[in-house]
Amino acid sequence: AQSVTQLDSQVPVFEEAPVELRCNYSSSVSVYLFWYVQYPNQGLQLLLKYLSGSTLVKGINGFEAEFNKSQTSFHLRKPSVHISDTAEYFCAVSGSGGYQKVTFGTGTKLQVIP
Amino acid sequence: ETGVTQSPTHLIKTRGQQVTLRCSSQSGHNTVSWYQQALGQGPQFIFQYYREEENGRGNFPPRFSGLQFPNYSSELNVNALELDDSALYLCASSLGMDRGRYEQYFGPGTRLTVT
């Protein structure tokens, strides 16, 4: 079984400030990790993914995340946020085998304040 | 390259009715997954189809069923609708089991309201 915990349901941050959205996971097997973004009334868009290799993963829109196996974390960061980053962000985990069930966290709403 | 499309966009049904939601996968994708996203929650995995066979299922009752067609488009059927079935239903397609091509592409979703 696998699970994802997003510790913050809402994160307000001023424009051009840095932000970190926290994600912790649990799994009994090797995992793939993902961050998705969802804008209002839209589907999910993949920001970045960790499959293997370098633990620092860079994604779209200036976001990056670091996989920390010992702390079972995959926190999302951006050095300077824009108003357009206001959205809900979901961390997700799947097993690294052929079965692609993806387990999502409950989401973090990022509100960028002008 | 056409993305994942879903129809209809919105749907209102009455408790006890049946509903069919449709999904067209991204071109070349042979795997499709369905998710239920209740208001204020993360998506919950319903099931996945790979080359027309159900490949895995989440914790949903049998009244949730699906199909995948030879062109890899898919349907989600829900029988005996309940009020708690009101949610955004998301379809996601991917290239399949190859680890190097794992990324799932999501459609915009179908908003189902059960009254």
Side-chain angles (χ1 to χ4, degrees):
Chain A
Q2 55 202 26
S3 66
V4 177
T5 301
Q6 292 184 245
L7 298 167
D8 305 299
S9 59
Q10 294 190 45
V11 173
V13 62
F14 286 104
E15 193 174 16
E16 298 184 4
V19 69
E20 178 180 84
L21 306 184
R22 297 181 292 169
C23 172
N24 288 89
Y25 71 92
S26 67
S27 177
S28 57
V29 298
S30 296
V31 297
Y32 297 155
L33 293 157
F34 308 86
W35 275 99
Y36 287 87
V37 60
Q38 186 176 35
Y39 299 100
N41 300 314
Q42 293 189 26
L44 278 72
Q45 180 183 10
L46 182 68
L47 276 177
L48 48 79
K49 61 183 182 285
Y50 171 79
L51 302 182
S52 66
S54 173
T55 57
L56 183 62
V57 179
K58 293 189 182 299
I60 63 172
N61 301 342
F63 284 93
E64 63 180 33
E66 186 157 18
F67 171 57
N68 188 319
K69 188 174 181 179
S70 63
Q71 297 187 3
T72 61
S73 68
F74 191 56
H75 300 333
L76 180 71
R77 301 186 185 99
K78 186 170 183 178
S80 176
V81 296
H82 301 122
I83 293 290
S84 59
D85 293 324
T86 295
E88 189 152 23
Y89 293 79
F90 292 94
C91 181
V93 62
S94 78
S96 59
Y99 176 36
Q100 295 182 9
K101 174 185 175 179
V102 179
T103 300
F104 285 84
T106 52
T108 297
K109 291 183 179 177
L110 174 63
Q111 182 181 5
V112 180
I113 304 164
Chain B
E1 188 176 75
T2 305
V4 179
T5 60
Q6 293 185 243
S7 63
T9 305
H10 295 87
L11 199 55
I12 300 175
K13 288 286 190 178
T14 303
R15 188 170 49 183
Q17 287 187 315
Q18 179 266 343
V19 68
T20 297
L21 310 182
R22 295 178 174 83
C23 171
S24 291
S25 302
Q26 187 152 326
S27 177
H29 287 189
N30 57 20
T31 302
V32 65
S33 302
W34 284 92
Y35 296 85
Q36 180 195 66
Q37 186 179 18
L39 201 61
Q41 301 295 317
Q44 298 291 316
F45 176 77
I46 301 175
F47 43 57
Q48 180 183 89
Y49 279 81
Y50 172 64
R51 295 187 177 182
E52 302 178 58
E53 298 280 337
E54 186 177 294
N55 187 43
R57 190 178 184 91
N59 189 26
F60 280 81
R63 60 189 184 85
F64 285 78
S65 63
L67 282 173
Q68 187 181 30
F69 300 101
N71 66 354
Y72 302 137
S73 65
S74 176
E75 286 182 355
L76 165 65
N77 299 290
V78 186
N79 294 321
L81 284 167
E82 301 177 359
L83 296 179
D84 285 348
D85 295 333
S86 295
L88 181 68
Y89 288 85
L90 295 164
C91 167
S93 73
S94 64
L95 280 165
M97 307 294 190
D98 185 340
R99 191 186 89 170
R101 299 178 296 169
Y102 181 88
E103 182 173 332
Q104 292 195 358
Y105 293 81
F106 282 81
T110 293
R111 173 74 63 189
L112 173 64
T113 302
V114 182
T115 62

